[in-house]
Amino acid sequence: MTRKEINVFDCAGDIVRSVSQGILLTAKAGDTVNTMTIGWGHLGFVWQKPVFIAYVREGRFTRPLIDEAKEFTISIPHGTMQKKITAFCGTKSGRTTNKIQELGLTLLDGECVSSPAIAELPLTLECKVICRQKVDKNTLPAEIQSAMYPADIDSTATGCNRDEHVAYYGEIVRAYIIEK
């Protein structure tokens, strides 16, 4: 497999459209690797740097991995949508399921980060965390609070949404498409 380096902003439309459909965020800390589906994110330019901002709920298994590693990768379908992969990774927890093994995903070492790329979702952003910020749900309008942060769901449950998000501003240090 080879990697074709890209200008991330040349693929901005594909990336932004894919976020709402589900993309994968992968983090590695020590020997532990986990990937999860995210459906919230921003691509842009902050502090004179290309940045992907990923939102991860506090109770997710992946969050402490990002906090320890201070980096992550974003894997985006390019061409045919890999709905089976994003659906599975969005409904299973890394606490109880080795999603990478169960799906037979192909991990490729990152070029600039220790978190791996996933060959099956070839458009890859390698990101180093330059800012971490907890979302204060109390500053949000009441309709968003009740819809996105109800207080009656266990924060470790798959699909839970009581926990607030942590916004990870990841400087995009490498962007490429994996070619087979």
Side-chain angles (χ1 to χ4, degrees):
M1 287 188 222
T2 61
R3 300 172 210 225
K4 178 181 151 193
E5 191 162 345
I6 60 168
N7 177 324
V8 69
F9 295 109
D10 289 344
C11 298
D14 291 337
I15 294 167
V16 171
R17 278 187 293 280
S18 294
V19 170
S20 67
Q21 307 249 334
I23 61 177
L24 296 184
L25 179 149
T26 305
K28 177 183 180 184
D31 293 332
T32 304
V33 177
N34 192 57
T35 192
M36 64 179 287
T37 300
I38 61 171
W40 294 7
H42 294 91
L43 176 67
F45 205 73
V46 181
W47 303 300
Q48 299 179 339
K49 298 177 181 294
V51 170
F52 187 88
I53 305 170
Y55 296 84
V56 180
R57 290 190 190 272
E58 289 184 295
R60 295 296 191 251
F61 179 73
T62 306
R63 191 205 38 83
L65 299 177
I66 302 170
D67 286 344
E68 183 178 332
K70 296 183 178 25
E71 59 188 34
F72 57 88
T73 57
I74 296 294
S75 299
I76 302 154
H78 187 71
T80 305
M81 178 63 174
Q82 298 294 325
K83 290 186 179 192
K84 175 185 171 191
I85 294 170
T86 56
F88 186 86
C89 292
T91 58
K92 304 291 182 189
S93 171
R95 285 184 184 85
T96 57
T97 305
N98 183 331
K99 296 178 261 186
I100 294 162
Q101 185 177 3
E102 285 213 23
L103 289 169
L105 298 177
T106 308
L107 300 182
L108 300 174
D109 290 339
E111 294 184 332
C112 296
V113 300
S114 64
S115 297
I118 297 176
E120 289 77 11
L121 281 78
L123 201 163
T124 303
L125 310 178
E126 294 188 10
C127 302
K128 291 189 178 185
V129 176
I130 56 175
C131 181
R132 176 192 188 280
Q133 185 175 30
K134 183 178 173 184
V135 173
D136 180 358
K137 68 181 176 187
N138 297 316
T139 64
L140 299 171
E143 67 270 10
I144 293 176
Q145 287 183 45
S146 63
M148 299 295 158
Y149 301 99
D152 60 347
I153 300 174
D154 176 16
S155 64
T156 61
T158 300
C160 74
N161 53 10
R162 174 175 64 185
D163 283 0
E164 291 168 298
H165 287 87
V166 175
Y168 291 95
Y169 292 67
E171 177 185 358
I172 301 166
V173 295
R174 181 81 69 212
Y176 50 85
I177 295 175
I178 299 166
E179 298 176 327
K180 296 180 181 184

